[in-house]
Amino acid sequence: MALIEVKDLKKTYESDDVATPVLHGLTFKIESGEFVAVMGPSGCGKSTLLHILGFLDKHSEGSYLFDSKAYDDFSPAEIARVRNKRMGFVFQAFNLLARASVFENVKLPLLYSGTKESLWDSAAKEAIEAVGLTHRLNQDSAKLSGGEKQRVAIARALVMKPDVIFADEPTGNLDSKSGQQVMEIIQDLNETAGHTIVLITHETYTAEMAERIIKMKDGLIESDTRVAARRSAKDKFIK
């Protein structure tokens, strides 16, 4: 069953009466449990697409269905609820609270979720354990390495047990060793935990860790193919 479905999706930004088209009519589906990499050069529309799929921005034309329901049929309250409970986000810049601990950063989505407060601590600790950072539980995030910060970001994305995790260039600011550790976690979240993963990347090597690669160019889909020999994130990582 398709968790994500877009049809003739277009996005145009308007500024001072100047229209800048970014996406020119994309059509594809992503099934529940898939690991899909969206790749292409800078400026091709990858991040714009991710923001639309993650309910962080709205498309201009065409349609976007999430779990068979059209975006336009979601109320603002429903959009906020889906984004909080059913979607997790991992960004290149980490987006952590620098003066907050690992535990406090990971617990943050729970504060706005309606989850019983008595469950917050155990849920946060479980997510932190999943990324191997229990020993950093009370460490301020500003004092962590880049790889550790990204693992905290993954734990924060994971804490609500979302249906889909959107990862936008998650290894872009990391060295090879840290990048490999992050990709091992992301691949395991798909293979073991069954999370749908949508990975934005410009790296072919990283994209080949997915099951399927959607290549974009100039706001269009250039190709959409299955990965014949999927790479394991445990292999030597090449940046």
Side-chain angles (χ1 to χ4, degrees):
M1 175 179 170
L3 180 65
I4 289 169
E5 182 176 359
V6 300
K7 296 179 180 178
D8 197 27
L9 193 78
K10 298 178 182 179
K11 178 65 179 180
T12 300
Y13 290 105
E14 306 277 351
S15 178
D16 298 326
D17 297 323
V18 176
T20 305
V22 179
L23 301 178
H24 303 289
L26 312 184
T27 298
F28 62 86
K29 296 180 182 180
I30 296 176
E31 303 294 326
S32 181
E34 270 197 287
F35 185 168
V36 179
V38 180
M39 70 173 299
S42 297
C44 72
K46 304 187 302 293
S47 292
T48 297
L49 175 61
L50 180 141
H51 288 168
I52 292 171
L53 298 183
F55 284 12
L56 299 171
D57 197 1
K58 188 181 186 305
H59 56 286
S60 302
E61 297 180 52
S63 66
Y64 170 30
L65 281 72
F66 181 79
D67 200 12
S68 301
K69 183 174 180 177
Y71 177 94
D72 292 335
D73 292 336
F74 285 91
S75 69
E78 287 174 327
I79 286 173
R81 188 161 53 249
V82 168
R83 202 164 47 214
N84 175 261
K85 293 188 174 183
R86 302 191 64 186
M87 298 175 173
F89 299 89
V90 181
F91 296 103
Q92 181 176 348
F94 317 131
N95 295 342
L96 302 180
L97 300 177
R99 296 183 180 179
S101 69
V102 168
F103 183 61
E104 290 166 336
N105 268 286
V106 173
K107 194 163 66 169
L108 194 61
L110 295 159
L111 276 60
Y112 306 98
S113 68
T115 303
K116 291 181 180 180
E117 189 172 351
S118 60
L119 302 176
W120 291 357
D121 287 6
S122 60
K125 288 176 181 177
E126 181 182 343
I128 292 166
E129 183 179 0
V131 299
L133 284 178
T134 300
H135 63 296
R136 298 289 198 199
L137 189 74
N138 297 310
Q139 183 81 51
D140 283 353
S141 62
K143 297 178 180 179
L144 301 176
S145 69
E148 288 173 331
K149 288 177 181 178
Q150 195 60 290
R151 286 153 67 187
V152 175
I154 294 172
R156 184 183 56 194
L158 187 60
V159 73
M160 293 299 300
K161 296 182 169 58
D163 296 311
V164 56
I165 295 174
F166 296 105
D168 192 356
E169 300 280 6
T171 66
N173 285 337
L174 306 180
D175 59 37
S176 296
K177 182 178 179 181
S178 298
Q180 180 172 358
Q181 290 173 336
V182 164
M183 287 307 302
E184 283 183 23
I185 292 169
I186 290 174
Q187 200 170 56
D188 188 61
L189 289 175
N190 173 250
E191 294 178 348
T192 304
H195 293 282
T196 305
I197 307 289
V198 179
L199 170 71
I200 302 296
T201 183
H202 65 277
E203 300 168 340
T204 300
Y205 188 87
T206 304
E208 289 175 349
M209 296 177 191
E211 301 169 304
R212 174 180 162 204
I213 300 175
I214 296 175
K215 288 186 178 180
M216 291 184 62
K217 183 179 180 181
D218 299 331
L220 293 165
I221 292 178
E222 190 174 41
S223 63
D224 184 348
T225 58
R226 293 280 168 186
V227 177
R230 185 181 183 185
R231 291 187 185 274
S232 169
K234 292 181 172 61
D235 294 340
K236 182 175 174 60
F237 195 80
I238 300 173
K239 291 279 282 180

